[in-house]
Amino acid sequence: MKILFATSNQGKLSEAKAVLEPLGLEVVPFPLSLIETDAGTVKEVALQKIKQAMEQGYDQVMVDDAGIYFAAYHQFPGVLTKRIFNGIGYRGIAKLLAGENREAWFEGTVAVCWKGQVQTFSGITKGHIIDPLTEDIQPVPGFPFDSVFIPEGEHHVLKDLPMEKRLFYSYRRKALEKMAHWLFLHEKKNGQQDTYML
Ligand SMILES: O=c1nc[nH]c2c1ncn2[C@H]1C[C@H](O)[C@@H](COP(=O)(O)OP(=O)(O)OP(=O)(O)O)O1
């Protein structure tokens, strides 16, 4: 089975491939420019994105919206994560968190449209932001917070963990596994309906 993944983020794409391809689901990336609002939750934004993909005639397609949340602030930066990071970089994040609670978490939602039905799958990864956060940190393409985020129970940032451990902590892996389970159940159910019709 194949699923289209409307994303411009290489990090999301490699993670989706690593999780879904061993389960027998081929991930086909395609760059669809989707408009993201700057308010609401990652789940609301993921639903807006899947709606746009459907309006453009796509089916058997998924999208992903994600962000990081700082315990020191209210619902921030959340859906603004990418824009905030692009605007202020590590230097700005260091200033925002100076002397503040370093706890943080990622939240993400995968939204899928499969043969006309829409479902969402969400997850969270808890952890904290390193202290001090210096300007010379090298960002991971697509995932700049991987270089500064230590998952709960670890001593190293996500970037320095082996792939299996990174996936173990990944909210995206959890969401994608739930999605694959739903897709396979959906397919099985449809298959059974066909048999009944014979
Ligand atoms: O597992 C992750 N590990 C580290 N960082 C992450 C992760 N997941 C999202 N992030 C960060 C990257 C980006 O700064 C923002 C997502 O922004 P977001 O708008 O959802 O994605 P995007 O525009 O890069 O790609 P897309 O074309 O799928 O909308 O959160």
Side-chain angles (χ1 to χ4, degrees):
M1 262 184 351
K2 266 188 203 172
I3 187 158
L4 296 175
F5 188 8
T7 185
S8 58
N9 188 313
Q10 281 309 311
K12 290 183 184 180
L13 180 64
S14 13
E15 211 170 298
K17 281 178 175 282
V19 175
L20 297 177
E21 301 206 333
L23 302 175
L25 202 54
E26 190 190 337
V27 181
V28 183
F30 74 114
L32 184 63
S33 50
L34 302 169
I35 300 155
E36 292 183 27
T37 57
D38 53 8
T41 61
V42 288
K43 183 172 171 183
E44 284 162 354
V45 175
L47 281 168
Q48 286 167 4
K49 285 159 95 174
I50 198 73
K51 196 164 155 244
Q52 292 173 54
M54 290 164 75
E55 281 165 0
Q56 293 183 45
Y58 292 96
D59 193 40
Q60 302 188 222
V61 60
M62 67 181 198
V63 296
D64 174 310
D65 200 74
I68 196 162
Y69 291 80
F70 299 143
Y73 294 94
H74 178 68
Q75 291 293 305
F76 181 84
V79 295
L80 300 174
T81 300
K82 188 170 145 185
R83 276 172 278 177
I84 294 288
F85 183 79
N86 289 346
I88 68 175
Y90 293 126
R91 187 164 63 96
I93 303 290
K95 282 190 182 167
L96 276 179
L97 294 180
E100 301 283 352
N101 183 347
R102 311 296 283 197
E103 283 169 67
W105 62 94
F106 287 108
E107 274 183 42
T109 295
V110 171
V112 61
C113 168
W114 194 261
K115 302 182 181 172
Q117 274 195 41
V118 174
Q119 280 285 331
T120 58
F121 303 90
S122 302
I124 287 184
T125 306
K126 291 182 186 170
H128 69 274
I129 303 291
I130 52 169
D131 194 7
L133 201 163
T134 52
E135 270 178 62
D136 55 0
I137 292 165
Q138 286 304 309
V140 175
F143 286 164
F145 286 96
D146 276 13
S147 308
V148 297
F149 180 88
I150 301 182
E152 213 170 67
E154 283 295 333
H155 299 288
H156 297 285
V157 292
L158 278 173
K159 179 177 79 106
D160 295 337
L161 294 177
M163 184 63 167
E164 314 82 69
K165 269 209 164 172
R166 209 207 107 78
L167 285 179
F168 173 77
Y169 290 112
S170 166
Y171 59 90
R172 182 170 293 106
R173 173 195 52 84
K174 296 173 209 161
L176 289 168
E177 282 175 354
K178 284 188 251 173
M179 182 198 77
H181 184 68
W182 177 80
L183 284 184
F184 290 128
L185 273 181
H186 191 283
E187 287 296 295
K188 206 169 138 202
K189 220 165 58 192
N190 283 348
Q192 276 167 4
Q193 276 162 8
D194 289 348
T195 319
Y196 296 142
M197 280 158 65
L198 287 173

